[in-house]
Amino acid sequence: MTRRNYIIRIMSRPHRPPIPLSEPQRRVLIQLRIEGTAPRTRLAQVLGMNGATVTRLTQSLLALGLIEERESPEAVARGRPLVPLTVSGRGGWAIGATPHPGWLELVLVDFRGRPLVHDTTPFDSPDPRVFARAVEARLQALAAAHGFMRGQFLGMGVAVPGYALSGDRNRRAVVDRVAGWDDVPLAEIIGDVLGMPVWIENDASVAGLAEYYQDGIIGRYRSVLTLFLGHGVGGGLIAERDLFLGEHGNAGEVGRLFPGHGDRPSGIDLLRTLRAEGVEVDSLADIDGLMATHRAIIDRWTDRVIEQLDLAVLSGIVWLDPGAIIVSGALPLPLLRRIADGLNAIGRRRGDKYRATLPPVLASTIGSKAVVIGAAMIPIHSITSHQAVI
């Protein structure tokens, strides 16, 4: 059996983490993601385990290549229990993919969640099988260029602009531009073409996952609400360090608060606003170049969007009690920062004498890439997730 056939064979069961871990192993791994680095003594203390148990667990994770030691002169001088441990990027790699109008986007991340390759290619088909074949062609080229087949492949997450049907997250009600994806078993269709495990999830939900794994977020907050302003508007929820999807897989469908026949806090709405003012603009990628020349129009739109999103923010605070709220999306990062600042200002002015701790509203640092990075994080997150599948 060739190495390629072996890799395909061990990846033939979609939705099952290829590295099965025990609950104690998962606890050690997620704690290292939270802290970045920690010695065995720190892990024992924070996890409530004895030293021998932590030693045994970390040895097994070291053998699997999921964590690694970081030598330091002080740690070596004082003994192995103080050698810092961290999640190893060599523990595996994963792919995220999503279709856009006229192009598809791919990213490959290592086990730490660091993007290794970001790739875009022309693509314009509503058929998921054509999408899968286009992804396969790009992966073959990237594998040849970067040698990724030498590593352990964990699977691919696909971000879909649509909500789950009948409680089955593999079947989606989607937008017209990917009409062939509507109400079909996407994981099976795409996975059969690629010969690998495939996870399907809403684009805003995976954006929330990507935002949560960013430095300064996962180590500080247990629960986070992400508002993603792309072509539409959606939400991603992290509750107690896990992706919260709800009973039917549609938690975070913020767009239902803003019916499509009216003004919406979405990228498509911004394009329509600009076009109504006589501005020639084709896509959200053009907005950055208009920030200076058409600032008055964009400022008026932004002020209205801040007022609209306050309802979603307040609802999220009431129901989730998150540690932070992140404004993400396909808009320019300065525009996301302005929206976040405006929402914070509304919160400060509310004056309702509410004395509990309120979450800060933060702006994304990765913007539109959150979707494809989050899709790639699904196979990795599934290894330490408390959920059986995502």
Side-chain angles (χ1 to χ4, degrees):
M1 180 182 294
T2 67
R3 179 173 176 82
R4 178 178 175 83
N5 289 335
Y6 173 73
I7 291 173
I8 292 175
R9 183 176 67 81
I10 65 172
M11 296 191 306
S12 62
R13 295 181 295 174
H15 303 302
R16 296 184 182 181
I19 306 175
L21 298 181
S22 67
E23 178 63 21
Q25 287 175 317
R26 288 199 297 269
R27 290 180 63 200
V28 170
L29 195 55
I30 191 62
Q31 192 62 38
L32 285 175
R33 289 200 182 277
I34 292 167
E35 300 210 16
T37 61
R40 293 169 178 83
T41 51
R42 167 65 181 172
L43 293 172
Q45 177 187 20
V46 73
L47 295 175
M49 300 177 180
N50 61 49
T53 298
V54 169
T55 296
R56 175 176 54 80
L57 292 171
T58 54
Q59 285 176 340
S60 66
L61 293 171
L62 285 164
L64 289 169
L66 302 183
I67 66 174
E68 61 189 21
E69 293 182 332
R70 286 191 172 179
E71 298 288 355
S72 68
E74 179 184 359
V76 171
R78 300 181 62 184
R80 302 301 298 177
L82 292 181
V83 173
L85 297 168
T86 191
V87 175
S88 174
R90 297 188 296 271
W93 56 276
I95 298 171
T98 190
H100 296 281
W103 57 292
L104 72 83
E105 184 179 17
L106 296 175
V107 70
L108 288 85
V109 303
D110 66 13
F111 193 66
R112 294 184 66 181
R114 295 176 300 187
L116 303 175
V117 175
H118 181 249
D119 182 78
T120 61
T121 191
F123 171 78
D124 191 15
S125 172
D127 189 333
R129 293 174 182 84
V130 177
F131 170 84
R133 289 194 289 270
V135 170
E136 182 178 35
R138 292 307 303 148
L139 289 181
Q140 289 177 352
L142 294 172
H146 300 278
F148 286 112
M149 292 305 292
R150 292 196 298 270
Q152 182 184 14
F153 189 84
L154 303 176
M156 182 173 79
V158 179
V160 179
Y163 58 88
L165 293 171
S166 303
D168 181 356
R169 293 195 295 275
N170 289 323
R171 292 180 178 269
R172 299 270 159 176
V174 297
V175 297
D176 291 343
R177 63 180 171 82
V178 286
W181 298 52
D182 190 76
D183 198 11
V184 297
L186 291 169
E188 288 76 6
I189 290 173
I190 298 173
D192 285 347
V193 172
L194 291 169
M196 63 180 67
V198 172
W199 287 259
I200 304 295
E201 194 47 72
N202 173 265
D203 50 5
S205 293
V206 296
L209 190 64
E211 297 290 356
Y212 186 67
Y213 271 89
Q214 296 305 299
D215 291 342
I217 303 297
I218 189 172
R220 186 171 183 180
Y221 305 111
R222 298 195 315 275
S223 300
V224 172
L225 167 63
T226 295
L227 296 173
F228 190 84
L229 312 183
H231 286 84
V233 53
L237 289 80
I238 299 293
E240 295 300 321
R241 305 194 188 282
D242 219 340
L243 186 61
F244 179 79
L245 297 170
E247 183 78 11
H248 305 292
N250 290 318
E253 277 293 306
V254 179
R256 296 197 67 189
L257 298 174
F258 310 102
H261 59 268
D263 294 336
R264 310 184 79 211
S266 70
I268 289 294
D269 186 84
L270 176 55
L271 294 179
R272 289 173 180 166
T273 298
L274 288 163
R275 289 167 184 161
E277 296 286 342
V279 181
E280 294 185 5
V281 57
D282 295 323
S283 73
L284 294 180
D286 300 329
I287 300 298
D288 196 34
L290 301 174
M291 292 286 288
T293 58
H294 296 80
R295 188 172 190 85
I297 301 172
I298 295 174
D299 282 352
R300 287 195 299 272
W301 179 85
T302 304
D303 290 340
R304 187 251 292 169
V305 163
I306 291 169
E307 295 292 335
Q308 286 183 297
L309 287 178
D310 181 54
L311 171 62
V313 167
L314 190 57
S315 299
I317 292 172
V318 168
W319 290 107
L320 184 61
D321 188 25
I325 294 172
I326 300 175
V327 179
S328 184
L331 304 177
L333 296 184
L335 193 50
L336 295 178
R337 286 195 291 270
R338 187 180 162 196
I339 293 171
D341 290 344
L343 291 168
N344 278 317
I346 289 178
R348 290 191 297 269
R349 294 196 305 264
R350 200 173 303 279
D352 55 6
K353 298 183 179 179
Y354 189 67
R355 297 167 61 191
T357 300
L358 293 175
V361 182
L362 310 173
S364 171
T365 60
I366 53 177
S368 61
K369 291 181 181 177
V371 169
V372 71
I373 292 173
M377 289 303 301
I378 296 177
I380 293 171
H381 180 75
S382 70
I383 294 172
T384 51
S385 171
H386 293 295
Q387 303 178 62
V389 295
I390 292 184

